[in-house]
Structures are given as structure tokens and as C-alpha cells.
DNA sequence: CCTTGATTTCAGAAAGTTCTGAAATAACAT
DNA sequence: ATGTTATTTCAGAACTTTCTGAAATCAAGG
């Protein structure tokens, strides 16, 4: 790998983080490289910059493509595909979040709902089912919230984030104005 | 493994999910088992229920312990440690979220901040630094929001979740009442 | 419809992780 | 102290994921 030190540090770190974020090291590095690049890169640029095999780059690009985190561009007088990363950091955060949700929470919800429908065979199962119910409820609340917030326009989301802990205050006011749904007690 | 079918299905699923959630399969299974159990279990109960090695259970329990997802209990007339999972599903969700943040976003922020302080050596680095700045800003906004919301009492958080996309409406009202910090334009 | 170069696929090699069994350690009761 | 039972550690086995190089496929220009 032969990159300016600042860029190299970022690329390496993002690669390591990638593994924790469920995208593999190479994919993370490719993404990082495209994200900071000041021009579209083609596959061989990436091979050279990262020192990994051509085929590995090809797989990585394909994966980033299915996640819609990069764009394929054709430059005039060049048959090779060129790639750029989405500019907006929110797009990345959103994509990663959606992707993880699809892989990590949706299947769990499906299983939990299915288990809730079964007839418990004995006391142990009855108890277990009650616990599953509590968990299902919490996860459903969380995901349906996430669903709805994700549909808001970006600026609204940013407003919400800027508000920070201040939501509490706004919630109070909201409650007084009867904007909130009545609280169901457990 | 020899468990009532409903419990077994849950335990197996949670094990698989565990790997995606950054906790390994056995750890996930142990947690799931304790979560639905109607009494505290000791290590050998778990070995028998899951059919994994004693040492694996020991490691798993230790890990869950450091994550504070289980409690160690001493029953009278029994020298063995007994374990229970935290009851409240919110506790689990919170813990997993905090843990992941510690492992997955905080280190990134540290690196990003450090890279932002460096003197760019050339045009490419200058461009890269600008991109890193955008990313840093987005991540900081998100994490500081999460920080503040996590400090709210549980019921406030539940209110917020119940509100769903309705936050938009409340934000409008909040803006009119001058509760929101003025929006800085990019 | 053939040539040339770009891209993708895929089987096996390399690297990384999780799990086990055996041995070491700790904790308690006598 | 000593025996007994519970727990932890750790080296290597088993398994999983990632990466490579060679071969197959694809696409544009003549």
C-alpha cells in the first residue's frame, strides 16, 4: 500500500472497523479509499492503492454496489468502469443502519412472532413465551420508530439530532398540547 | 441439546443472531437460555441444556458478566454459582447498543479527530481531510444525541418511541415555541 | 465474428475465530 | 492441612471467513 499517510491511516482504520460493522476488511478499505478520493477510481487503481488482488477488489466493488454505497461511472475514451462513493455521510450511515437491521433484527422479529403464536406445552414454555412477548414488544416499538423516522426528510432528522436530550422538554410540551398518544400502562 | 421445542427454537435462533451481533454463538445461546429460564441456572445446567463443553460455558458466562447482562447468585446450601439474565428487555437493548458503540464508533471518532488535526501535505490530503470533516460532524451529531437520550428516564424514551414519525409534528410546534436551537445552515 | 482488454467466478490456500479437553487453580468443609 | 467439588485457563483441533490466482465470461471495435 502506497498512499499519502493521512489517507492511508483512514483507509486502514476503516478497514478494521469494517470487520466490526459486518462488512469485511477489504470492502471497508475500498469504500474508505473511494470516499476520500478526489476523482473516480478504476479497479486497478484500487488494486495498486491497497495492494490486494484484483479479484478481491472485484468482489468488494460488487458488494458495495449491491449496498448502493458506490456509483459506477463511465469516463469518455476509457472502457474501464470507474467508481465513486456517495458523497453524503448520512447516506452511508443510513445504508449501514438499514442493512444491519435487515440482517440483524428483522429475522429475530420473524422468529419471535412465530414463537408467540405457538401453543405452550407446559409451564416452562408458558413462562418462556411471556418473556419472549416482552422482548418482542420492545423490539417492535424500536423498529417501528426507526421506520417512521427514516421516512422523515433529512433536515427533520438533523433537527431531531440537534435537539439532543432536549427532546424531553419538547415531549412535555407535546403532552400538554395533546399531541402524544395516551400512555398505556403496563 | 434437549429442551422444550419452543425454548430450543429461541435459543438456537438467538445463537445464530449472536454471531451477527458481535457476541459469539455460544454466548448468545447461554444468554437466551437464561433469559427464558424460570429459575437461576448453574454452569452444568447450561452444559446439559446446550450440549457444549464446560469450558466454553465458563468463558461465555464470564463474557456475559463483563457485559453486565447476567447476575451471579448464590443459593443457600449450594456452592455453585447460579445465573440469571436481566429481566428487562430494555436493559439488554441498551447494553448491546452501548457496547457496540464503544467498540464500533468511539474508536472511529478518535481516529477521525486525530486525522483532522494533522497538517495536510498536499492537495489530495486536503481534499481527504475535508471529506473526513463531514463524516466526523455527522457521527458526532449522532453520538451526542444518543448520549443525551440514553440519559433520559426509561418512560421518556418510551414516549419518544411511541411518538414515531409524529416527532416531526412535535418538532414543528417546538420550533414555534422557540424551544429548538436555531438551525445553522451548511 | 474475431481480437483485445476488462471483469467476474470459483476452487483451494491462508488467516481468523470458536470450541474442546486436560490440567491448573480456587473455594469450601472437615 | 486435606479432600472434594467448582471454576478457569490455555494449547491446539475444528470450523468459518476471507483472499488469491487461474480460468471463464463479457463487451466493444474492427
Amino acid at each position: 500500500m502506497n498512499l499519502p499517510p493521512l489517507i492511508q491511516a483512514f483507509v486502514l482504520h476503516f478497514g478494521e472497523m469494517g470487520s466490526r460493522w459486518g462488512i469485511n476488511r477489504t470492502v471497508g478499505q475500498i469504500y474508505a479509499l473511494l470516499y476520500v478520493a478526489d476523482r473516480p477510481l478504476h479497479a486497478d487503481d484500487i488494486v495498486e492503492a491497497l495492494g490486494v488482488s484484483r479479484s478481491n477488489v472485484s468482489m468488494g466493488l460488487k458488494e458495495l454496489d449491491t449496498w448502493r454505497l458506490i456509483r459506477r461511472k463511465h469516463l469518455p475514451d476509457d472502457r474501464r468502469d470507474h467508481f465513486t462513493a456517495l458523497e453524503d455521510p448520512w447516506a452511508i450511515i443510513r445504508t449501514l443502519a438499514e442493512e444491519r437491521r435487515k440482517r440483524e433484527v428483522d429475522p429475530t422479529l420473524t422468529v419471535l412472532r412465530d414463537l408467540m403464536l405457538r401453543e405452550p406445552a407446559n409451564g416452562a414454555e408458558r413462562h418462556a413465551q411471556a418473556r419472549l412477548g416482552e422482548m418482542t414488544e420492545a423490539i417492535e416499538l424500536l423498529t417501528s420508530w426507526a421506520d417512521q423516522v427514516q421516512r422523515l426528510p433529512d433536515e427533520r432528522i438533523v433537527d431531531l439530532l440537534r435537539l439532543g436530550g432536549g427532546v424531553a422538554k419538547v415531549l412535555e410540551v407535546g403532552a400538554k398540547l395533546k399531541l402524544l398518544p395516551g400512555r398505556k400502562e403496563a
Side-chain angles (χ1 to χ4, degrees), chain A:
Chain A
M1 188 182 299
N2 184 23
L3 288 166
L6 187 132
I7 294 179
Q8 167 154 338
F10 176 65
V11 165
L12 289 177
H13 175 79
F14 216 84
E16 290 323 310
M17 277 304 128
S19 358
R20 306 195 181 228
W21 278 85
I23 68 190
N24 76 32
R25 186 151 44 85
T26 310
V27 173
Q29 291 184 355
I30 294 173
Y31 183 77
L33 183 65
L34 291 173
Y35 181 76
V36 298
D38 55 6
R39 61 183 172 84
L41 303 180
H42 58 77
D44 286 316
D45 286 335
I46 300 173
V47 167
E48 203 195 331
L50 303 182
V52 298
S53 75
R54 184 51 237 268
S55 52
N56 202 358
V57 168
S58 175
M59 308 253 237
L61 288 170
K62 194 174 145 192
E63 189 168 347
L64 287 169
D65 205 17
T66 66
W67 288 27
R68 311 198 166 288
L69 281 176
I70 58 174
R71 293 238 175 298
R72 229 164 251 268
K73 301 211 164 165
H74 277 274
L75 300 191
D77 298 328
D78 196 334
R79 277 166 56 188
R80 294 168 297 188
D81 285 343
H82 288 247
F83 301 86
T84 54
L86 293 197
E87 300 260 311
D88 179 11
W90 291 110
I92 304 147
I93 292 171
R94 241 186 168 119
T95 302
L96 284 175
E98 276 167 23
E99 202 59 38
R100 293 191 95 163
R101 183 182 154 183
K102 238 186 282 171
R103 304 198 201 174
E104 298 177 359
V105 334
D106 293 352
T108 300
L109 261 186
T110 308
V111 170
L112 285 173
R113 284 185 184 131
D114 173 58
L115 295 177
M116 290 303 291
L117 294 176
R118 298 209 199 165
E119 208 44 57
N122 55 40
E125 290 205 347
R126 207 171 351 268
H127 179 265
Q129 219 177 35
R131 307 301 325 276
L132 298 188
E134 288 176 50
M135 186 175 284
T136 310
E137 208 183 322
I139 299 178
E140 279 178 342
L141 193 52
L142 203 53
T143 54
S144 86
W145 180 81
D147 259 353
Q148 294 179 50
V149 169
Q150 271 192 335
R151 284 204 209 89
L152 296 176
D154 275 12
E155 327 89 65
R156 279 289 151 293
I157 299 184
V158 172
D159 284 345
L160 176 60
L161 292 177
R162 288 240 172 77
L163 199 50
V167 245
K169 224 179 288 173
V170 174
L171 284 172
E172 287 304 328
V173 177
K176 284 190 189 129
L177 297 175
K178 307 264 185 330
L179 284 166
L180 279 89
R183 290 176 204 156
K184 292 170 217 156
E185 294 308 320

